[in-house]
Amino acid sequence: MNISVNYATINQAKMDFTDLYTSKDPRNYFKYLGQLDYIIPHLAQPVFAQLIKARQETQTEPVTVLDVGCSYAINGALMKYAVDYEALRQRYTAPSLQPLNSAEVLELDRHFYRSWPQNKGVNVIGLDVSENAVRYAEDAGILGRGLAIDLESRDPTPEEAAILADVDIIVSTGCVGYVTSKTFQRIAKVARKGRTAWAANFVLRMFPFDGIAKTLADQGLVTEPYEGATFVQRRFANRDEMEKAVMAVEGRGLDTDGLETEGLYHSNLFVSRPLEEIERRPIQELVTVISGANKLWSVGANVLGSYGQEVRQAARARRG
């Protein structure tokens, strides 16, 4: 197992979008990531819905989901309300919304989310280091509770631990690599005392999941990789990002042909549950997926894909 990993080094391959996650509302997030066809929340939505349904079969109370690295709680909105990702993308990039200040956007969003049918069987908790993003999502009514904390550097306080103790399912769509097994260990230790929380993580192929899987195993969870499909996160921002990502993925011994060489970040899905749940219904029976190749709206011209083999050769040369 490749458990000791320098995530900071691997992260040097990625563009730094920190500013997008610290704005007071999601407009910049959708504006810039939308230009790169950021699609992973759309692909994760049916997977999370199926896991929530499976968890509902095991308990009578609503399912509490913790979204790790929630940013503006896009995943939470898709789990909680009868709204789809494209509707959100169009909303926050609409020209009519751009002249407004953040307070005005937030007030409109309070009414917007209340106008959608709500899934009463799910409660969403958000966890992120961005105070602005978490507070927006909480104030807009998406999150039941929001925790703007860094569990890489400290344990949760007793008050935070009490909130995390209600968690039934832990999810993430791209935060692995920024968060490590430290965060998952601190969550898992306090989540659902006497009844272990499940976990579902979409992880870019450049990052190993071994360390987190081991941490979850210590809590009684067995991790299954979803086989037969990878999941598009977004297009690469430029050729340099593509080359570095290809180099990082191939550095793990994985073939990038037809995946990253097409100019796209790809993720793997890992679902962690107790062994008895896996024996009752393995992941390949529990979950049906869409990979991103059949996206429901037009994808921007992916020029980088035409340089795939050239980029792969350059990446291999840089690795030596």
Side-chain angles (χ1 to χ4, degrees):
M1 279 191 176
N2 182 20
I3 294 176
S4 179
V5 176
N6 189 331
Y7 285 107
T9 299
I10 301 174
N11 269 316
Q12 291 175 5
K14 297 183 66 181
M15 291 286 290
D16 184 1
F17 290 119
T18 302
D19 289 349
L20 303 187
Y21 297 93
T22 56
S23 300
K24 291 186 177 180
D25 66 70
R27 285 175 294 180
N28 285 336
Y29 172 96
F30 278 97
K31 177 180 178 181
Y32 291 102
L33 291 181
Q35 291 173 357
L36 297 175
D37 292 308
Y38 184 75
I39 190 179
I40 194 66
H42 168 64
L43 305 182
Q45 183 179 15
V47 173
F48 294 159
Q50 290 166 91
L51 287 170
I52 289 167
K53 181 179 179 182
R55 186 76 196 218
Q56 286 172 333
E57 295 172 359
T58 72
Q59 61 191 63
T60 56
E61 70 269 32
V63 173
T64 296
V65 180
L66 174 67
D67 186 5
V68 181
C70 68
S71 67
Y72 298 96
I74 306 308
N75 290 328
L78 299 181
M79 287 185 274
K80 188 172 178 178
Y81 298 101
V83 62
D84 61 42
Y85 180 73
E86 176 63 356
L88 297 182
R89 187 181 73 89
Q90 289 189 3
R91 173 175 177 75
Y92 291 112
T93 58
S96 59
L97 214 63
Q98 306 316 306
L100 306 181
N101 62 43
S102 293
E104 291 169 327
V105 173
L106 176 59
E107 184 59 27
L108 288 174
D109 277 349
R110 290 189 179 115
H111 296 285
F112 173 76
Y113 287 109
R114 283 201 300 267
S115 70
W116 286 93
Q118 183 175 339
N119 181 357
K120 300 294 185 180
V122 64
N123 176 50
V124 184
I125 300 171
L127 172 68
D128 200 283
V129 296
S130 172
E131 179 80 27
N132 283 343
V134 170
R135 292 289 81 82
Y136 158 82
E138 198 173 39
D139 291 344
I142 303 171
L143 296 177
R145 294 296 299 269
L147 298 174
I149 57 178
D150 181 5
L151 293 184
E152 287 292 294
S153 59
R154 67 167 177 84
D155 290 330
T157 65
E159 293 78 12
E160 293 160 353
I163 295 171
L164 295 171
D166 288 334
V167 172
D168 296 301
I169 304 176
I170 304 163
V171 303
S172 72
T173 53
C175 74
V176 171
Y178 298 107
V179 305
T180 69
S181 57
K182 294 177 183 178
T183 289
F184 283 87
Q185 182 180 40
R186 286 172 169 136
I187 294 169
K189 282 172 61 177
V190 299
R192 275 298 179 197
K193 295 293 187 182
R195 195 171 75 205
T196 307
W198 302 355
N201 293 277
F202 288 85
V203 183
L204 288 177
R205 291 187 348 124
M206 62 205 297
F207 297 110
F209 194 67
D210 301 355
I212 294 173
K214 181 180 183 302
T215 293
L216 296 173
D218 293 340
Q219 306 299 322
L221 299 176
V222 177
T223 295
E224 294 178 284
Y226 187 87
E227 298 177 354
T230 59
F231 302 84
V232 174
Q233 190 199 58
R234 63 168 171 86
R235 290 186 291 110
F236 294 116
N238 53 45
R239 181 163 172 167
D240 182 62
E241 184 183 45
M242 179 178 176
E243 187 172 317
K244 289 176 180 177
V246 168
M247 185 166 59
V249 173
E250 295 212 336
R252 297 191 57 229
L254 303 176
D255 188 3
T256 59
D257 191 32
L259 297 169
E260 288 80 10
T261 58
E262 296 298 309
L264 302 164
Y265 273 117
H266 279 257
S267 298
N268 289 125
L269 168 63
F270 299 94
V271 177
S272 308
R273 295 176 293 154
L275 181 59
E276 58 269 24
E277 284 295 325
I278 293 173
E279 291 175 340
R280 186 172 72 89
R281 196 184 309 174
I283 185 175
Q284 303 295 139
E285 296 178 10
L286 177 69
V287 170
T288 57
V289 304
I290 51 177
S291 68
N294 57 341
K295 183 177 170 185
L296 299 179
W297 56 91
S298 59
V299 178
N302 191 3
V303 177
L304 291 175
S306 64
Y307 298 110
Q309 297 308 314
E310 183 180 334
V311 166
R312 185 163 67 159
Q313 291 174 6
R316 289 176 174 177
R318 289 175 65 171
R319 284 182 53 227

